[in-house]
């Protein structure tokens, strides 16, 4: 069993993953900056509901404080790091790019250096489907592949994730730190982020408000339930670090798409959400926004080769479960304001 540090442990994916790793028998400690990009109330609620019952302590920590990060890793004798902390949000990066420099570039550099100096056995880190950028037409009949070019990011957020992959590869090449990059595709589910489209749409449907669908509702997204993501993460942790033998250059670095190759048009996604909420949608179409891409679709072949068949939650089932959770969350009187205008 590993001694694991999960960064961003109070976040959406982080809280689910840290709890599941602990329940699988690993010794897990979390850290989080508890920033206010969306209401901090939700982050504390995740800790109370998911992490405390699993026995996962969460330290308040800014990853840019390298000395504090290394002290935490030494204290808990960390051998595996699951780095999920980041400044999220494609559209927020249009207006606040410096937020992403601090968290996604300086923060990640600090994590890489701490892992190197502390002799960590394996660093798994979050990347994003955003690195694939815009694709014209039906961009990827077989889904985006890890070997595709990623040199034309469509947003500053995507550029920071592209940079993270380059930084990780360079550290693996020079210092032999084994790294595994995780390109997540539109993760959704309970305890999610209120700035994401599925949460904002569900709230507006329940209030009878108009939904604004960008790209005339024709944008396609490869939705991935958080339980599916956690299943993949647990399997990758259990699989262990890349040795570099599978690469011609011998660098112990690998990348995986975490998605299912089931892209859905946003307008069809809204129809499924109508059924889940029992509320009809009032729709207003709008052009694409800056930073958006028309299409995301994961080719999961490399992941399946590495870990075998993994969990695949049907979208209708996953949305129904999210709506049930949202109704319970709102019933607590704990519905946070939307930090950003949710959109697809």
């Amino acid at each position: 069993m590993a001694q694991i540090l999960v960064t961003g442990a109070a976040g959406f994916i982080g809280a689910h993953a840290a709890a599941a790793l602990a329940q699988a028998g690993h010794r897990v400690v979390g850290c989080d900056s508890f920033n206010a990009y969306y209401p901090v109330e939700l982050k504390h609620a995740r800790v109370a509901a998911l992490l405390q019952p699993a026995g996962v302590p969460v330290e308040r920590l800014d990853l840019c404080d390298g000395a504090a990060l290394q002290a935490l890793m030494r204290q808990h004798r960390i051998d595996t790091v699951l780095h999920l902390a980041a400044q999220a949000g494609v559209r927020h990066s249009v207006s606040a790019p410096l937020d992403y420099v601090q968290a996604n570039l300086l923060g990640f550099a600090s994590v890489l250096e701490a892992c190197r100096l502390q002799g960590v056995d394996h660093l798994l880190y979050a990347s994003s489907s955003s690195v694939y950028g815009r694709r014209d037409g039906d961009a990827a009949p077989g889904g985006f592949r890890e070997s595709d070019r990623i040199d034309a990011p469509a947003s500053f957020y995507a550029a920071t994730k592209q940079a993270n992959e380059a930084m990780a590869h360079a550290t693996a090449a020079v210092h032999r730190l084994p790294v595994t990059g995780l390109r997540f595709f539109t993760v959704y589910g309970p305890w999610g982020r209120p700035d994401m489209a599925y949460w904002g749409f569900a709230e507006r449907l329940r209030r009878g408000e108009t939904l604004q669908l960008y790209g005339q509702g024709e944008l396609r997204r490869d939705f991935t339930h958080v339980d599916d993501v956690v299943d993949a993460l647990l399997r990758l942790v259990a699989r262990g670090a890349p040795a570099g033998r599978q690469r011609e250059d011998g660098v112990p670095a690998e990348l995986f798409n975490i998605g299912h190759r089931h892209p859905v048009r946003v307008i069809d996604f809204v129809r499924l959400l109508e059924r889940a909420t029992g509320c009809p949608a009032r729709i207003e179409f709008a052009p694409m926004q800056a930073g958006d891409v028309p299409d995301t679709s994961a080719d999961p072949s490399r992941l399946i080769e590495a870990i075998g068949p993994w969990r695949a939650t049907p979208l209708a089932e996953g949305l129904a479960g999210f709506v049930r959770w949202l109704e319970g969350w709102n019933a607590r009187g704990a519905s946070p304001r939307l930090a950003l205008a949710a959109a697809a």
Side-chain angles (χ1 to χ4, degrees):
M1 294 292 105
Q3 311 270 72
I4 302 175
L5 171 65
V6 178
T7 72
F12 172 32
I13 300 175
H16 284 279
L21 286 164
Q23 290 160 1
H26 299 287
R27 184 169 169 268
V28 182
V29 61
C31 67
D32 203 288
S33 69
F34 291 90
N35 75 17
Y37 169 63
Y38 57 82
V40 178
E41 170 197 11
L42 177 58
K43 300 179 183 184
H44 288 294
R46 291 188 190 116
V47 171
L50 301 177
L51 298 182
Q52 288 178 358
V56 178
V58 181
E59 301 281 344
R60 182 184 292 271
L61 181 71
D62 182 344
L63 293 176
C64 293
D65 186 345
L69 175 60
Q70 291 177 48
L72 179 67
M73 292 170 67
R74 284 194 300 272
Q75 176 187 351
H76 293 281
R77 300 179 181 178
I78 298 299
D79 57 49
T80 302
V81 173
L82 176 57
H83 175 57
L84 299 174
Q87 176 59 58
V90 167
R91 291 184 187 134
H92 184 59
S93 73
V94 174
S95 59
L98 294 183
D99 291 354
Y100 296 76
V101 173
Q102 184 74 15
N104 296 7
L105 299 181
L106 296 179
F108 188 54
S110 178
V111 168
L112 288 169
E113 186 69 352
C115 288
R116 176 181 78 84
L117 293 174
Q118 297 305 312
V120 164
D121 295 332
H122 189 192
L123 166 64
L124 303 95
Y125 67 94
S127 185
S128 167
S129 62
S130 296
V131 301
Y132 289 109
R134 293 181 64 109
R135 308 297 175 97
D136 294 328
D138 190 7
F144 299 164
R145 298 178 179 86
E146 293 89 347
S147 57
D148 289 352
R149 292 180 63 175
I150 59 165
D151 55 357
S155 68
F156 195 81
Y157 167 76
T160 64
K161 288 300 186 179
Q162 178 187 349
N164 286 170
E165 293 185 4
M167 294 159 70
H169 187 276
T171 304
V174 174
H175 299 292
R176 313 306 300 174
L177 172 68
V179 297
T180 297
L182 311 161
R183 291 177 176 171
F184 295 124
F185 281 71
T186 315
V187 184
Y188 76 101
W191 296 105
R193 288 193 354 243
D195 64 302
M196 293 190 70
Y198 70 94
W199 183 316
F201 285 172
E203 293 275 28
R204 290 188 171 102
L205 281 169
R206 286 157 52 85
R207 294 194 298 259
E209 298 174 358
T210 298
L211 309 185
Q212 191 171 54
L213 303 190
Y214 296 108
Q216 309 303 315
E218 294 296 321
L219 306 185
R220 300 198 312 163
R221 295 291 180 264
D222 201 346
F223 294 94
T224 316
H225 195 275
V226 68
D227 288 350
D228 304 354
V229 169
V230 168
D231 182 44
L233 293 180
L234 263 63
R235 291 168 183 255
L236 287 169
V237 168
R239 173 176 171 265
R245 292 188 296 271
Q246 70 274 30
R247 292 177 56 100
E248 291 182 7
D249 58 12
V251 177
E254 59 190 357
L255 286 166
F256 294 108
N257 288 333
I258 312 295
H260 290 301
R261 194 162 47 198
H262 295 310
V264 175
R265 291 189 311 159
V266 170
I267 186 64
D268 297 328
F269 169 81
V270 169
R271 299 307 178 203
L272 290 174
L273 200 50
E274 282 182 306
R275 293 180 209 166
T277 60
C279 302
R282 297 164 55 191
I283 294 173
E284 176 184 286
F285 293 113
M288 283 180 61
Q289 285 198 317
D292 253 343
V293 297
D295 204 25
T296 67
S297 177
D299 180 348
S301 301
R302 183 182 290 184
L303 179 66
I304 292 170
E305 182 179 350
I307 66 171
W310 55 300
R311 182 181 177 121
T313 302
L315 183 56
E317 176 184 319
L319 286 176
F322 166 72
V323 168
R324 288 193 297 272
W325 172 84
L326 183 62
E327 289 170 349
W329 173 255
N330 288 341
R332 294 170 47 178
S335 177
R337 61 176 174 79
L338 297 186
L340 300 172

